[in-house]
Amino acid sequence: MGQGPALDERAASRVITDDQATDVHALGLAGCIDELTVPLRQSGVRVHWETPPHGVQVPAACATLLCQAAQEILNCAFEYSQATELTIHLTAVDHGVRLTMTDNGVGSQRQLLGGRDHGYGVCLMTAAVYEAGGIVTIDSAPGKGTLVSITVPLN
């Protein structure tokens, strides 16, 4: 049984903290995530947004973390899901903010959680969210699509 590539901790931390992601200061969190959906839209995926009418005030560090997490999840959706629809829900919750992304794709835990043929992006994203005091839940099964929920505290 082969092993996946060795994880270089310095390279791994750059993946999650790379500042080259879309600028959340200029676009806001929803604008940043919407920018990240462009490749999906261009490939024919319909992207639906569900946000509160009043918006959600999110501190810069929290917004950056959520934007980077969304980037990883959207990358997985683009590369593996074969989805035709994606719904993004952003909402305030008790002392935090929740980002939920649901697609109608093929669904599979293997692509999301890494493995011999896949990278470590979702695992690293999950670790970064946990380190910030947040929670990640992933519900995915073959043929059932994928739901990813990321909740982070607003502190």
Side-chain angles (χ1 to χ4, degrees):
M1 182 179 254
Q3 292 182 347
L7 180 60
D8 174 0
E9 288 182 26
R10 287 175 294 158
S13 69
R14 283 194 306 269
V15 171
I16 296 299
T17 61
D18 188 1
D19 290 331
Q20 297 195 10
T22 304
D23 186 5
V24 294
H25 298 288
L27 298 173
L29 177 57
C32 171
I33 295 170
D34 196 52
E35 275 290 306
L36 294 171
T37 66
V38 169
L40 287 160
R41 291 175 196 265
Q42 289 174 339
S43 71
V45 176
R46 289 188 315 211
V47 178
H48 307 279
W49 270 93
E50 297 175 1
T51 58
H54 53 75
V56 178
Q57 287 288 2
V58 181
C62 180
T64 299
L65 177 61
L66 285 170
C67 188
Q68 290 169 341
Q71 184 175 21
E72 185 57 41
I73 299 306
L74 292 169
N75 183 54
C76 287
F78 181 73
E79 289 188 33
Y80 307 114
S81 78
Q82 300 174 23
T84 59
E85 293 189 28
L86 173 77
T87 300
I88 302 169
H89 185 83
L90 185 62
T91 188
V93 294
D94 292 333
H95 307 291
V97 63
R98 178 171 297 139
L99 172 66
T100 305
M101 291 180 273
T102 308
D103 71 46
N104 68 344
V106 297
S108 175
Q109 289 281 333
R110 182 169 169 81
Q111 278 97 5
L112 283 172
L113 299 179
R116 187 172 150 175
D117 300 325
H118 305 288
Y120 295 98
V122 174
C123 292
L124 293 171
M125 177 271 302
T126 300
V129 170
Y130 287 157
E131 186 175 309
I135 299 168
V136 176
T137 58
I138 300 172
D139 184 11
S140 181
K144 303 289 184 184
T146 301
L147 180 143
V148 179
S149 178
I150 303 163
T151 306
V152 294
L154 291 177
N155 54 16

